[in-house]
Amino acid sequence: MENKKTLTGFTIIGFLIAAILIALILTLAAPQYMQSVDRSKEKVLRHDLIVMRSAIDQYLNDHNEYPSSLQELVEGQYLREVPIDPITDREDTWVFSKPISNEYAGSIADVFSGSLLISSEGTPYAEW
């Protein structure tokens, strides 16, 4: 009987073809993935703004004044914790607007993202 040696594994050309196919798939998939991540962050931002604005309104109804900080909303159990701005990935970048009238005390009448970036809709996150 003869001993026949067979080659196992990839040849260099086979390896290059596989690498090219993987690179092509990644090139097509990466932009879709990044858009999906951005859309998810925008949805989280919208939700967080709704929750914080609702908590501010509840605080105003209960205390007849606006809160002076987001931490005050946490201490009063209107929020579990100060949310992290999903666009800036920080909790200390929230921007606040003061009450328009002097009818109520406190300093936070509304809250916005502190990001300077533009959303997928073409509007600044800071205006949401």
Side-chain angles (χ1 to χ4, degrees), residues 14-81:
F15 177 75
L16 289 175
I17 290 172
I20 289 170
L21 288 174
I22 290 171
L24 181 62
I25 290 170
L26 289 176
T27 302
L28 297 174
Q32 291 293 337
Y33 173 76
M34 295 308 293
Q35 287 176 355
S36 174
V37 169
D38 291 343
R39 282 193 306 270
S40 297
K41 286 182 176 185
E42 288 180 356
K43 285 182 182 180
V44 170
L45 175 61
R46 284 188 193 281
H47 178 265
D48 287 349
L49 290 172
I50 289 169
V51 168
M52 286 189 291
R53 289 170 178 161
S54 175
I56 291 168
D57 291 343
Q58 289 173 4
Y59 186 94
L60 175 63
N61 289 336
D62 291 348
H63 299 278
N64 209 27
E65 68 179 17
Y66 287 105
S68 57
S69 69
L70 290 179
Q71 190 60 37
E72 195 172 328
L73 293 174
V74 173
E75 291 167 3
Q77 297 182 345
Y78 294 92
L79 295 174
R80 251 187 211 173
E81 61 185 3

